[in-house]
Amino acid sequence: MTYRRIWCIMADHRKFMGEAVKEALKGLREGGIPIGSVLVKDGRIIGRGHNRRVQKKSAVLHAEIDCLENAGRLKARDYGKCVLYSTLSPCDMCTGAILLYKIPVIVIGENRTFKGPEAYSKRRGIKVVNLDMKECRDMMDRFIRENPRLWNEDIGV
């Protein structure tokens, strides 16, 4: 792979992660947990979502699940052409959905504040790309510091 091709791929990752960050900030403005996600197929966003557990009083509405729901029903072959972007490493539940729909690539903003089962995803054939973005880390660090009880509830502690 050429340097130019790698640079273009990384530029795309950062562009789409920027859209996931916008979703996370939207959730924060709504009084929720700042985690965002977008689903991309053939270089186009086909679904967006953010963690809405607080807003909807939901047990399961994580950003990735909201994003998949908002993308609507897709054919199995379509999921196989997608990349899921999430500002934070997906949890066990969201990883299960990624595996169920055979989404081949997950790009995460960071995994220092929370690390889901990334090794398991890789063993199951999912390509995991961690951008380790300071913007995503700072957003989560601040939220966790200011809302420890809500954060612990969200991750099942």
Side-chain angles (χ1 to χ4, degrees):
M1 189 176 290
T2 67
Y3 174 78
R4 179 170 165 65
R5 177 76 179 129
I6 292 169
W7 185 87
C8 288
I9 290 170
M10 290 307 294
D12 282 348
H13 286 337
R14 293 200 181 279
K15 174 178 85 171
F16 291 124
M17 187 58 68
E19 293 300 312
V21 168
K22 287 178 187 176
E23 285 294 319
L25 293 171
K26 183 177 179 182
L28 185 61
R29 284 191 306 272
E30 294 171 355
I33 299 166
I35 303 169
S37 183
V38 295
L39 185 66
V40 174
K41 179 179 175 264
D42 298 327
R44 197 176 112 249
I45 295 174
I46 62 170
R48 300 172 164 273
H50 52 277
N51 186 306
R52 296 193 308 155
R53 288 186 70 245
V54 173
Q55 300 91 310
K56 295 286 186 175
K57 296 180 178 32
S58 170
V60 297
L61 210 46
H62 285 191
E64 299 88 346
I65 302 301
D66 189 43
C67 177
L68 292 171
E69 177 71 16
N70 292 331
R73 292 176 57 116
L74 302 176
K75 293 180 172 36
R77 70 177 177 268
D78 290 327
Y79 287 112
K81 298 175 185 175
C82 288
V83 178
L84 184 71
Y85 290 80
S86 181
T87 57
L88 187 64
S89 181
C91 71
D92 291 323
M93 176 181 66
C94 296
T95 295
I98 292 163
L99 291 168
L100 176 68
Y101 293 112
K102 297 178 176 63
I103 297 170
V105 181
I106 176 82
V107 179
I108 60 176
E110 66 102 356
N111 68 357
R112 293 188 201 189
T113 56
F114 176 83
K115 187 171 185 176
E118 295 171 27
Y120 178 71
S121 295
K122 290 175 186 177
R123 285 195 306 273
R124 294 286 307 271
I126 305 296
K127 180 179 179 184
V128 178
V129 178
N130 181 6
L131 300 179
D132 194 28
M133 291 176 61
K134 183 177 184 332
E135 178 180 10
C136 293
R137 281 193 319 273
D138 289 350
M139 181 170 49
M140 286 310 301
D141 281 339
R142 181 175 180 184
F143 180 81
I144 292 167
R145 192 173 50 252
E146 293 175 358
N147 303 279
R149 214 171 73 182
L150 184 56
W151 171 247
N152 287 334
E153 174 195 318
D154 194 63
I155 61 170
V157 175

